[in-house]
Amino acid sequence: EDMALANTTYGSKVVPRICKDKGWHRAALLLSRLKRLTTPELWSRQAERYEYVQMFTEAMRGRGIDAIICPSQVMLAPSPSVVSYTGTTMCYTQLYNLLDFPAGCVPAGRCSASDVEEMEGWPRSELQRQFGEGFEGMVEEGRILGEQKDGVEEAVRDCIKGSEGMPCAVQVAAGPLDDELCLRVMRELEEAFTAA
């Protein structure tokens, strides 16, 4: 149904405009880009993906990076029901799926009271931490999205409530065909986190 809606003027132009007017820029951007592809367009996108994979792999190898350790999810200990309707929060895993890199998650401790407290001001607090006090100018220039005050942000903030003591994880990703390296790094991290 979503794809059928995207192929109409209503779905590709009106709904994104309504979302943008409400300040839901993330939803507007995603909806405006939904469309059916012809077979040649699909092959063209696959070629672009292949070029991106090559570029990413060369950048990693050129900097001597064998594996990447990163968050596995935007949220701490999300429930499966929350993840199912907040797909954009899976950006960390989606990247490595797109790249077709081996990746996996390792338990990395438990959610603390300070973790819960830090998330109360999210995403504004995180934007300030990453981009400094001038992040609002970056939002105005369209360089970053900024706060959306949408259902995704609400779900992330709601998810953290009562999460104290729940497990947290990190994700490990390695380059193409480096499955054994990825598993080795995961094992070493698991041993380190277990010992701590």
Side-chain angles (χ1 to χ4, degrees):
E1 289 177 13
D2 292 338
M3 289 307 294
L5 177 66
N7 290 311
T8 66
T9 302
Y10 181 76
S12 63
K13 299 202 181 342
V14 177
V15 173
R17 194 173 322 121
I18 292 169
C19 289
K20 192 171 184 178
D21 290 346
K22 288 181 166 273
W24 302 340
H25 300 285
R26 176 184 16 242
L29 183 64
L30 290 170
L31 288 170
S32 68
R33 293 188 175 168
L34 283 177
K35 69 173 198 164
R36 285 189 184 168
L37 298 176
T38 64
T39 301
E41 288 173 327
L42 178 61
W43 282 109
S44 175
R45 293 299 193 314
Q46 288 294 342
E48 290 171 12
R49 178 190 158 276
Y50 178 77
E51 288 174 20
Y52 182 70
V53 170
Q54 297 307 309
M55 181 185 72
F56 199 100
T57 302
E58 288 171 16
M60 259 181 79
R61 300 244 160 91
R63 289 171 176 79
I65 299 171
D66 296 320
I68 296 170
I69 301 169
C70 62
S72 57
Q73 175 57 261
V74 171
M75 297 176 269
L76 295 168
S79 68
S81 62
V82 171
V83 174
S84 68
Y85 69 86
T86 58
T88 57
T89 66
M90 296 185 296
C91 54
Y92 299 109
T93 57
Q94 290 168 343
L95 172 62
Y96 301 109
N97 284 329
L98 172 75
L99 295 169
D100 199 21
F101 281 13
C105 293
V106 178
R110 303 239 171 227
C111 181
S112 68
S114 64
D115 293 329
V116 173
E117 188 178 311
E118 284 178 25
M119 287 297 290
E120 288 175 8
W122 184 89
R124 184 175 191 75
S125 58
E126 186 61 22
L127 290 166
Q128 283 179 323
R129 187 186 70 75
Q130 286 184 25
F131 302 107
E133 292 299 321
F135 85 90
E136 281 134 348
M138 296 174 80
V139 171
E140 289 173 17
E141 294 169 12
R143 293 171 48 201
I144 59 174
L145 284 177
E147 290 179 275
Q148 300 297 295
K149 299 181 175 109
D150 62 5
V152 172
E153 289 180 5
E154 184 179 331
V156 171
R157 280 190 297 275
D158 287 348
C159 187
I160 193 70
K161 294 173 185 167
S163 292
E164 192 173 334
M166 295 294 288
C168 299
V170 294
Q171 178 179 216
V172 176
L177 305 175
D178 284 338
D179 301 61
E180 290 180 12
L181 174 65
C182 182
L183 290 169
R184 180 175 158 219
V185 173
M186 289 172 63
R187 184 187 69 216
E188 289 181 15
L189 282 173
E190 189 170 28
E191 288 172 359
F193 286 126
T194 302

